[in-house]
Amino acid sequence: MAVAAVDHDLFVELGRQLRVDAIRAADFAGSGHPTSSMSAADLMAVLLARHLRYDFEASRNPANDHLIFSKGHASPLLYAMYVAAGAVSPEELRWYRSSGSRLQGHPTPALPWVDAATGALGQGLGIGAGIALAGQRLDHRDFHVWVLCGDGELAEGSMWEAFEHAGYERLHNLIAIIDVNRLGQRGPTRHGWDTAAYARRIGAFGWHTIEIDGHDVDQIDAAYAEAKDSNLPTAILARTRKGKGVREVENAEGAHGKPVPDAEEAVAELGGPGSVRVEVASPEYEAPRHPDLHSLSIPTYERDGRKVATRTAFGQALAMLGHARSDLVVLDADVSDSTRTSYFAREHPDRFFECYIAEQQMTATAVGMSVRGWLPFAATFAAFWSRAFDFVRMASIGGADLCLAGSHAGVSIGPDGPSQMGLEDLAAFRALWRSTVLYPCDANQTVHLTAAMAEHSGIRYLRTTREDLPVLYGPEETFSVGGSKVLRRSDADDVTIVAAGITVHEALRAADVLADSGIRARVVDLYSIKPVDVATLRAAAADTGRIVTVEDHWPQGGLGDAVLDAFTGATAMPAVIKLGVLALPGSATPTEQLQHAGIDADSVVEAAQELMAV
Amino acid sequence: MAVAAVDHDLFVELGRQLRVDAIRAADFAGSGHPTSSMSAADLMAVLLARHLRYDFEASRNPANDHLIFSKGHASPLLYAMYVAAGAVSPEELRWYRSSGSRLQGHPTPALPWVDAATGALGQGLGIGAGIALAGQRLDHRDFHVWVLCGDGELAEGSMWEAFEHAGYERLHNLIAIIDVNRLGQRGPTRHGWDTAAYARRIGAFGWHTIEIDGHDVDQIDAAYAEAKDSNLPTAILARTRKGKGVREVENAEGAHGKPVPDAEEAVAELGGPGSVRVEVASPEYEAPRHPDLHSLSIPTYERDGRKVATRTAFGQALAMLGHARSDLVVLDADVSDSTRTSYFAREHPDRFFECYIAEQQMTATAVGMSVRGWLPFAATFAAFWSRAFDFVRMASIGGADLCLAGSHAGVSIGPDGPSQMGLEDLAAFRALWRSTVLYPCDANQTVHLTAAMAEHSGIRYLRTTREDLPVLYGPEETFSVGGSKVLRRSDADDVTIVAAGITVHEALRAADVLADSGIRARVVDLYSIKPVDVATLRAAAADTGRIVTVEDHWPQGGLGDAVLDAFTGATAMPAVIKLGVLALPGSATPTEQLQHAGIDADSVVEAAQELMAV
């Protein structure tokens, strides 16, 4: 494909300008990744000047293309593009990486044009695939998703989850631009400039691949045109030189992640400061879609002695929520029959996404769909959320709105053994920025909390249980994020038992046994693990002075620690015994497991008696 | 390759027997995965009867092959193999999945022949690759590593990290047997029986691939012979039928993860109970290698005003440890110049393994090397350990001995922003079975703790800091797992400040400021976050009644929660203020970051004053 001379020259000039601005930004900051920016500058110049369709004045225009820097450390290049597009003033680059600046070391949605936080490598392509899938299967729009990837990050398995996912779904609107500059942080990558090695691999996953010289603007331009026309997702393998254009750092080891030694000289070598600006093609403005909202008809459960697993109630609630909200989408990682998202899948097949056994890509797809304004619920076993922990971490940093559910929590799953038991999920999800952690103990509560999750923001996690459990609450009872329920109380309680999920039932049994021996136990169902109901816990401490916490989780970082935290901040502390899983479980029945773990009713009784003896 | 008729018949008979025993085991248990076992029974029959070289009487014989069930849920098949080999009595199968049984729902090293815990899919191949790499690069032995994989788990990106790693390293001693039964838990996999789709992908990663009918024992036998001869790692793509041999469940959806409906009828359909046993070829016994141990000459640092980053001291200690212990190996994920494992790499290149940007495979390689008796130290940024969290979780369940180091912890890294800051690592590592969590604040302490890690067991985590810090301790000072140091104390302290890592320096500054206003602050350096020095904390609480904790981590699950935990168990509680990172950081200088996060000296002073006012 021929490129008009005027375009060719503009591309070259703009590439030069992007390099200059990237170098200067890092120089102002005294840190950053100019060399990783310079390798991709020509790629981004051609994209910005001709192929990207983006309205910088209306980042929420649903007709916009999406541009994701999976290699987030090339932020100086991204910000230089914003300058070239007129969205950011050249002066603002002076604040790159400074306190309070939105031009952070790695891109975050603090900038309106950034869809998702990147910087942990291997995540941007998966998020792009999620956006592209939303475009095809939910939004039915023909925007493109452009993802700038590094070659180093192709070592991350998550990239191959994304390639597989996008290839299988034939996401022709997804274009991966891979900046093969052959140098990682420490030194050469595995395959160096062997773009054919990458093309073979990516092609095998059902992608169209194009190998080019990443500094030849005509080849770049032709590759983009070909990619846009492809009926498959396209990967452009661009052979580039890190630090391109500045002799001292070009293709040099040891020049990663630091300003060029002499920025002024480098800028001069590139032909001087310049001020090339481009008009970015903008799609016509269209208003964002608004979801249809209907009143929610929730499933209810009677206290008639029948038992219902909280995972089942979650699945049933989710199916009903799907009727109430047209923007709700559900994802699962090949365990929908266990997590019970299968109920949603049956009633709303168009909004259910099977992600196969790929928890990282499931999370990335969810993030991508949330970027497009959908509300994703994603589910797998609680234990397997540990597989996607870095993705959830980055989603929380990026402010993504995700509802996540983990089933089969705790030792109470029984014979499957420890590999299938979520015993660290409360700790992990609590330790995330602006996260919400919920852990219901009965069916009606689960329904309410599932509905509450949908209304909340940030990362919300719901922990469900495999075993069928008695229905404790009437359907009329209400529950809120940050709340708790006092299930037993008297005017003269001796001790408080704080539990959640399956241990609430153990706590109630323990309270009965204690009552027989004249010990009055208050029982608190702490279904909201984060935020925690400080007032109720402090009142219980004031009234009883003694607290037993009991949880189906390791003793670290979960419910017990959340309870202790309620007594920080210059308040009076009660005496506390924390019960959590004592020892590495093996296989056993659920009842045996609770007993061996030291979290059954008998263990609670013993702990309460020990506190009474103090 | 022709198979003698007698062998052919034995293979077929053994395959039948393995199915029978798998069915019966799951029937005894009332749960388990017989159908996922039956698809792979012929594959394992031929392996056991002819190709595996394994001494069941001496599982530690270093000449043994290794067999890993990456699809750990097929444990009934694995245990049936042990029965056929005479290692386990047929009666023991009755205890499958029962309380106290070593025949757990998923294999763990509770059995002497199991190298690593599996059951979280997508991990066994990577561990096998680690064992194979140890065989080639460390042990220089010609054993084979056989890994039985599911087709469903090929969706996990970690499998492709393993394929890439093994292909690049040309691990010809690694053989992946992929049981393509086309059915996942919920239903069909992406590619069904299209073994060519898998062969294309895996072949592109530099593997030799063979596609066979997984129920044709002659084809299986020939494939194993070919694989053993290959100079590349080999993947055998075996087309199989889930539930093979029993009409009611064969190739049927909805038959995953449960006993066959009528075990007696199924056994009859397979030709009756039977009792086929085989003699497994055993290599000659060789004694395990013993490491050369020399006395450790540790690097020391003077308190002369120079600053040293704890990551630097870690790297220097590790290089020295490498001289003292010949069994020490080091792995890094392309950031050795940042984590400072580069010092070890320079001095011990034969025992340094570059894992590129693939934290999951790095962990799996470490597990594999530990299986072979090496002591692995693996390092990356603290934040990026979240990428490998499920692998570390499984390693802890399997009792693996791993030393892990996370650098660039906390907001104090400065301008790079939140994606690069480990702010959840303490919570994650505390919530692991039998884990040790260490967090040094100065160079001499780091050296001692690095040496102590090597002597400890289980999962050990060392958190290091990017910034250069003053040397606080003399080289003669000692430090132990579970210990702490009281840096300031008087006979009449008013308040205790508990800190670790970079916040120790803030705590000392705060103590000085407080002293000026007449408040005597005890300062505890809690460098062992798990286990925690309960005695020192309780003494401080008894003496001062007031504690301020301060950590460069989210307030959940880290040092503050570890301190609170020391006051559980019916003991008196002090008044506590917990300081942790308050808000989502952006870019800023390290000093600004500590201030914005509310964990600098001023914040500590304020908290102490608040406690004094109570």
Side-chain angles (χ1 to χ4, degrees), chain A residues 268-300:
Chain A
E269 190 180 340
L270 285 163
S275 65
V276 180
R277 301 289 175 263
V278 286
E279 187 80 30
V280 177
S282 173
E284 255 183 63
Y285 183 75
E286 298 177 37
R289 169 188 44 76
H290 287 290
D292 298 330
L293 300 180
H294 306 279
S295 67
L296 172 63
S297 157
I298 55 167
T300 58

Side-chain angles (χ1 to χ4, degrees), chain A residues 57 117 125 134 180 184 236 249 320 326 356 363 383 416 458 498 519 525 576:
Chain A
E57 311 253 292
L125 183 62
V180 185
I236 297 167
V249 294
M320 297 306 283
S326 68
Y356 300 92
T363 311
D416 269 327
V498 184
I519 299 172
D525 169 10
V576 177

Side-chain angles (χ1 to χ4, degrees), chain A residues 138-162:
Chain A
L138 294 167
D139 293 325
H140 308 290
R141 288 187 173 276
D142 61 358
F143 59 78
H144 281 96
V145 184
W146 308 85
V147 184
L148 179 67
C149 307
D151 49 352
E153 66 178 326
L154 293 176
E156 287 285 7
S158 55
M159 294 297 278
W160 301 93
E161 291 185 19

Side-chain angles (χ1 to χ4, degrees), chain B residues 510-591:
Chain B
D512 292 341
V513 174
L514 289 165
D516 290 345
S517 66
I519 299 173
R520 285 150 301 194
R522 183 170 302 181
V523 176
V524 178
D525 169 9
L526 197 72
Y527 59 81
S528 179
I529 307 284
K530 184 185 174 191
V532 85
D533 184 351
V534 172
T536 297
L537 291 172
R538 288 191 178 181
D543 291 352
T544 69
R546 305 178 186 92
I547 292 186
V548 177
T549 69
V550 56
E551 62 194 304
D552 194 355
H553 185 275
W554 295 124
Q556 294 84 21
L559 174 140
D561 283 2
V563 170
L564 288 172
D565 191 62
F567 301 108
T568 57
T571 181
M573 286 254 174
V576 177
I577 290 183
K578 252 174 70 179
L579 301 178
V581 175
L582 271 181
L584 185 66
S587 287
T589 66
T591 304

Side-chain angles (χ1 to χ4, degrees), chain B residues 84-105:
Chain B
V88 162
S89 76
E91 289 69 36
E92 192 172 344
L93 288 183
R94 293 183 175 270
W95 300 102
Y96 176 52
R97 287 176 165 247
S98 293
S99 175
S101 171
R102 58 183 184 166
L103 304 185
Q104 296 184 22

Side-chain angles (χ1 to χ4, degrees), chain B residues 335-413:
Chain B
V335 289
S336 56
D337 50 339
S338 288
T339 62
R340 306 296 199 224
T341 61
S342 54
Y343 305 156
F344 182 96
R346 209 177 302 142
E347 296 188 29
H348 315 280
D350 299 348
R351 288 185 276 140
F352 178 80
F353 298 86
E354 176 56 67
C355 299
Y356 300 91
I357 311 177
E359 295 81 6
Q360 295 183 103
Q361 182 55 44
M362 175 168 71
T363 310
T365 301
V367 171
M369 289 179 169
S370 77
V371 165
R372 293 292 307 177
W374 298 87
L375 177 65
F377 273 75
T380 184
F381 282 25
F384 303 144
W385 278 113
S386 62
R387 188 66 69 98
F389 189 36
D390 195 24
F391 278 67
V392 179
R393 178 182 78 90
M394 288 300 296
S396 78
I397 288 174
D401 275 322
L402 304 185
C403 299
L404 310 178
S407 72
H408 293 62
V411 300
S412 64
I413 64 166

